[in-house]
Amino acid sequence: MDTETKKVKSDIEIANDAYIKPITEIAAELDISDNEIELYGKYKAKLSLDILNRLDQSEDGKLILVTAINPTKAGEGKTTVTVGLADAFTALGEKAMIAMREPSLGPVMGIKGGAAGGGYSQVLPMTEINLHFNGDIHAITAANNTLAALIDNHLHQGNHLCIDPRKIVWKRVVDINDRALRNVVVGLGGPMQGIPREDGFDITVASEIMAVVCLAQDLDDMKERLSRMVVAWTYNDEPVTVQDLGVEGALALLLKDAIKPNIVQTIAHTPALIHGGPFANIAHGCNSAIATRTALKLADYVVTEAGFGADLGAEKFLNIKSRMAGLKPDAVVIVATIRALKMHGGVDKNELGTEDIGALKKGIENLKKHGETISSFGLPFVIALNRFVTDTHLELEVFKGLMEQENIPYALTEVWEKGGAGGTALAESIKQIIDEKENHYAPLYELTHSIEDKITIIAKKVYGAEGVDFTPQARKKLEKFKEQGWDSLPVCMAKTQYSLSDNPNALGRPSGFTITIRDLKPSIGAGFIVALTGDIMTMPGLPKHPAALNMDVTEDGKAIGLF
Amino acid sequence: MDTETKKVKSDIEIANDAYIKPITEIAAELDISDNEIELYGKYKAKLSLDILNRLDQSEDGKLILVTAINPTKAGEGKTTVTVGLADAFTALGEKAMIAMREPSLGPVMGIKGGAAGGGYSQVLPMTEINLHFNGDIHAITAANNTLAALIDNHLHQGNHLCIDPRKIVWKRVVDINDRALRNVVVGLGGPMQGIPREDGFDITVASEIMAVVCLAQDLDDMKERLSRMVVAWTYNDEPVTVQDLGVEGALALLLKDAIKPNIVQTIAHTPALIHGGPFANIAHGCNSAIATRTALKLADYVVTEAGFGADLGAEKFLNIKSRMAGLKPDAVVIVATIRALKMHGGVDKNELGTEDIGALKKGIENLKKHGETISSFGLPFVIALNRFVTDTHLELEVFKGLMEQENIPYALTEVWEKGGAGGTALAESIKQIIDEKENHYAPLYELTHSIEDKITIIAKKVYGAEGVDFTPQARKKLEKFKEQGWDSLPVCMAKTQYSLSDNPNALGRPSGFTITIRDLKPSIGAGFIVALTGDIMTMPGLPKHPAALNMDVTEDGKAIGLF
């Protein structure tokens, strides 16, 4: 294949042309027995939860978290670096594995067109991973909406729990970007058609059930978490849980397979566990704890990813997921691009082709802040500068100079174009910091801190805020949650991903700002309190020209238009 | 296992205790190659559409349709007889196979608790078949709702097709019984949240996409059918199709695996293709054409099932599905029970334990009418009397006497308790009528008949009506559909399943009635015109005590509470 052809290939073309091994071969190389794997076609499978029991006494591999600067419209390529880095470890002869999130169909059909890495750093089979995969998200949709139907049916059949129809907080979901469902009225049409009330739909990955599946330790823990979910409040303002409705068994039954991690492979045949994909604002934005723990038992280097930038994804990975799942991360990668840094320095998206050293220097402040955050968790990190053809020689030199001047470890990556070979410098650098640097990982706050204190610690240490304001509504919730004994839970911040602050337009490294907590929401099944800043969208919309318009399938079942 | 224990076992207990072969073994016995099967776990798989091409020149097996009297609350056991009959053929040493519908989650969680046969005539793995199976229904939900979101997005983004928001006929779906979604208002909340309009949700199996998947010949035919679906009308009252929106490719891509038939097995290891499950009122109520055609290539006796009673399911199987799929049925089984016949004779559900010869004789008139209908299609049939412990000796003798008096072939079945051994008399009887009786199968009407004539032929010949009334609205639609050139399509009757007439309370064999066509609905992708009589429910509701309340899953993943 000559380079010219290679350069113009789309992601789906690269994926369709790649050689893919039967997943049974990949599993056999990991000493996974026939009883521990359930095939879903030839190239994907689910793994049994029994693997964790069998390998309970084995030592864990090294855990590397990939995070990023605050995302911009220029794109950073965090997933691509995650995949490429794991392939780089494989190229270096290490036993590596990926643990990452599964794509939601909504964004695939909307703007994204796919979310399985890119170029020569992709997971395969790309089409199936981007579409229904092994049915996890559909199972969560079904469980979420079964619960919703049972709640409205409870109202309709006499409402002996005295649920206030105005205070039902459990929403229905679809795994589609569907803005027309954000605010709806249901139960219209007369007494046989339910009780009329205001309602709304979220996208499935924003369902608390997704967070529950991703944080559960096993099937029983998942059932207990489901039973604790608060779905409504009574006329007397007492919480109504799934347990009160008596349907945690049915929900757990619907999710008994969704809780099992999915195994696939990269183009370089590195095994990848792709499992769970909770939102990174109103949820914690990481793949399942079970997948990460399973990968750590099966490989020496596990590369995992968290959503959005380090202020949201890494913060939650380190304060929520790692604490709940008993994980001890070994190193962190912060992904940036020259283009995105320039945007953080004030350059317009259409001007990114133009060299701009001033903007670059200014934008690097955003990156440095995220580095400081990772250090405050007691963890070593490496910057991955993901190269683009438009990066100029001078821009790269300035970037390197600044990193070296501040003694910040970094590596350039070219994983989109070169796969694992484009990430070996990064992999070497990570091995080095794991060997040489000290690791005193600890969450930033204790669970015994009050909710206000937890939020304030995150706002000051992670965002660089001067303080936190709570609206009267948020203050009321603080009181109420304390009464319910919920104040010992960790906090899940719902904040714009675009800025360190709660103002999406404040790029770079804003200072002198405060964070306003507008409202608080209990996710008792997931096991955290969501703190809402600004307007957080839990149901995206479709763009003027949705990706779906470009999609097709050939007569022999090959996908067209995914990317 | 002693009989005492055996008798009290529930369906799920029988299923959980049954020996199940790896599905690869079942496939190997059918000479299906590794390339033609995709495993979904160890006990279920999808089959490639290539099997149909490979076996294009092979002779088809015999096709036996199982239908029933009009269903009653007493239960007839049509699916159980379907499974038991196939096992009976297997027990007789024949190469038999089942082609039947897959269960919808809504009824499973609502009243039914399961739909995979019963007792010792079940398909396995019962739990997975009843829950998400191989994702077909979820894929249809996703495709249906992606299309809905794209339509509302089209409105929101400028509406260049001039869709009248009051005339969007494409509804959203969930695979749940959720009465509160029957009538909703969407798009509320201001200009960023879409265009407000009245809307409603159907259950997924009522989606036209389900009918399309079940009637498509292959992937390309499916895409063409999808492109023809009418989703809305313009301000000028012109139809707007999926092709106008340009998204048939995306929908086909989402359905590329759902179109492949699923293979499982019975307790007796008879292979079963369980694929597709369209409603039997607003759609045609039969498993996919591809599954039936594939089974006919792989086995000598294929037992298939149609929804509800012969007036709906069999009529559509013979007038719509067989015509479109090029099937030539060989024989029909009409299932009845003494209990159900007594209900048709006027006995109350609570009195079914009491012997009532008068009611039985009266109820048998319902059965005889269905026999006459099958004869009018030129097909031989056998009555399967599915035995119940409450049947008295005299009731059975009276039944037999009446059948013999009228020279109607019949057999008693005990397949719930005995599996295939309880159905061998029926299987022998079928073999005999296939050998001995003449088969002049032809649909009851020609496609060149007008829609009025098609409906009138069905109403008179199948229902025994004196005539058909069309409401003014229906008359308007007849005109409109003729303009569009849709009058050459077959008609899909949406009528109550409980009665031969359009009055659900008129049991037995009503006479002197007319059928009122309230409205007509184009299902141009499926390829038929739906004729609506009375109120047809396309979104069921949950009962006071939904089956979901009894469900659970054990620590090791076994289901509880399915039946």
Side-chain angles (χ1 to χ4, degrees), chain A residues 82-83 86-87 96-100 123 266 270-274 295 301-303:
Chain A
T82 302
V83 175
D87 282 345
M97 205 154 169
I98 295 167
M100 65 184 221
V123 278
T266 67
T270 304
L273 299 187
I274 304 195
Y301 288 91
V302 173
V303 184

Side-chain angles (χ1 to χ4, degrees), chain A residues 34-42 44 105 109 127-128 131-132 135 138-143 145-150 152-153 156-158 172-195 199 201 219-220 223 245-250 252-257 537 541-546 548-560 562, chain B residues 34-42 44 105 109 127-128 131-132 135 138-143 145-150 152-153 156-158 172-195 199 201 219-220 223 245-250 252-257 537 541-546 548-560 562:
Chain A
D34 275 2
N35 285 329
E36 292 170 339
I37 186 167
E38 285 173 12
L39 297 178
Y40 281 63
K42 289 185 182 53
K44 44 195 186 77
L105 198 55
M109 289 286 152
T127 302
E128 283 71 22
L131 298 179
H132 314 288
H138 290 325
I140 291 167
T141 304
N145 291 349
T146 295
L147 176 54
L150 287 162
D152 272 303
N153 191 56
H156 179 77
Q157 303 282 0
R172 289 173 175 83
V173 297
V174 289
D175 189 25
I176 317 247
N177 293 6
D178 196 346
R179 74 167 64 72
L181 294 182
R182 285 176 189 153
N183 300 290
V184 303
V185 173
V186 301
L188 300 172
M192 294 310 295
Q193 329 290 354
I195 310 288
D199 198 6
F201 283 66
L219 198 53
D220 267 6
K223 202 194 298 179
L245 289 164
V247 296
E248 66 272 20
L253 178 59
L254 284 168
L255 297 164
K256 76 180 179 62
D257 294 314
M537 181 72 73
L542 289 170
K544 198 167 178 73
H545 190 89
L549 298 186
N550 307 323
M551 292 182 191
D552 205 349
V553 57
T554 63
E555 209 181 332
D556 61 341
K558 283 228 160 68
I560 295 169
L562 296 175
Chain B
D34 275 2
N35 285 331
E36 292 171 339
I37 185 166
E38 287 175 10
L39 296 178
Y40 280 64
K42 288 183 182 54
K44 41 196 187 78
L105 198 54
M109 289 286 153
T127 303
E128 285 68 22
L131 298 179
H132 314 288
H138 289 326
I140 290 167
T141 303
N145 291 349
T146 296
L147 175 54
L150 288 161
D152 272 303
N153 191 56
H156 179 77
Q157 303 284 0
R172 290 173 175 83
V173 297
V174 288
D175 188 26
I176 319 252
N177 293 7
D178 196 345
R179 73 168 65 69
L181 294 180
R182 285 175 190 155
N183 299 289
V184 302
V185 173
V186 302
L188 300 172
M192 294 308 294
Q193 330 291 352
I195 310 289
D199 198 5
F201 283 66
L219 199 52
D220 268 5
K223 201 194 300 179
L245 288 163
V247 296
E248 65 273 20
L253 179 58
L254 284 168
L255 297 165
K256 77 181 179 61
D257 294 314
M537 180 73 73
L542 289 169
K544 198 167 180 75
H545 190 91
L549 298 186
N550 308 323
M551 291 181 191
D552 205 348
V553 57
T554 64
E555 211 181 330
D556 61 340
K558 282 228 161 66
I560 295 168
L562 296 174

Side-chain angles (χ1 to χ4, degrees), chain B residues 286-527:
Chain B
C286 309
N287 66 265
S288 78
I290 287 176
T292 307
R293 285 166 52 222
T294 304
L296 286 169
K297 293 296 179 194
L298 293 170
D300 296 328
Y301 287 90
V302 173
V303 185
T304 192
E305 188 192 1
F308 296 147
D311 53 329
L312 283 170
E315 183 269 309
K316 293 171 187 183
F317 183 90
L318 298 169
N319 277 328
I320 299 175
K321 178 180 170 180
S322 296
R323 173 161 21 205
M324 283 193 195
L327 303 175
K328 297 206 187 312
D330 292 280
V332 176
V333 173
I334 307 174
V335 179
T337 60
I338 294 287
R339 290 158 58 86
L341 290 172
K342 287 197 294 188
M343 280 195 84
H344 273 293
V347 174
D348 185 82
K349 200 196 162 190
N350 299 319
E351 303 295 327
L352 289 173
T354 313
E355 186 175 272
D356 191 334
I357 301 303
L360 176 62
K361 284 183 176 172
K362 209 170 146 207
I364 285 175
E365 293 303 311
N366 182 274
L367 173 60
K368 279 165 63 183
K369 172 69 188 106
H370 292 303
E372 291 165 24
T373 298
I374 300 306
S375 297
S376 71
F377 280 97
L379 283 167
F381 68 91
V382 182
I383 308 297
L385 188 82
N386 200 17
R387 287 196 57 183
F388 251 75
V389 282
T390 53
D391 301 346
T392 69
H393 178 74
L394 184 60
E395 284 170 342
L396 290 172
E397 287 309 308
V398 166
F399 175 83
K400 291 183 197 172
L402 280 171
M403 292 299 111
E404 279 155 25
Q405 188 184 317
E406 308 234 3
N407 208 14
I408 300 174
Y410 73 93
L412 302 194
T413 57
E414 295 175 281
V415 291
W416 195 98
E417 193 183 339
K418 299 183 179 168
T424 44
L426 177 62
E428 295 282 17
S429 182
I430 291 162
K431 289 172 81 167
Q432 197 181 341
I433 63 161
I434 291 176
D435 286 347
E436 294 175 4
K437 296 229 175 171
E438 292 193 16
N439 181 333
H440 304 290
Y441 162 65
L444 284 188
Y445 55 80
E446 298 299 324
L447 294 179
T448 49
H449 280 123
S450 69
I451 295 176
E452 296 95 309
D453 286 352
K454 286 168 188 158
I455 293 172
T456 306
I457 288 169
I458 294 168
K460 289 188 173 173
K461 291 204 186 170
V462 179
Y463 307 159
E466 298 202 335
V468 180
D469 292 328
F470 293 85
T471 64
Q473 188 179 7
R475 291 242 166 255
K476 245 200 247 169
K477 293 283 180 74
L478 285 174
E479 275 311 300
K480 194 180 202 92
F481 293 2
K482 210 168 171 178
E483 269 170 47
Q484 295 292 336
W486 295 338
D487 49 348
S488 61
L489 295 175
V491 167
C492 181
M493 297 297 293
K495 181 182 74 66
T496 176
Q497 66 266 39
Y498 298 113
S499 171
L500 280 159
S501 74
D502 56 3
N503 169 10
N505 299 315
L507 304 192
R509 182 172 185 166
S511 62
F513 63 92
T514 55
I515 294 284
T516 303
I517 302 299
R518 182 172 58 77
D519 199 1
L520 295 156
K521 184 184 158 307
S523 286
I524 309 302

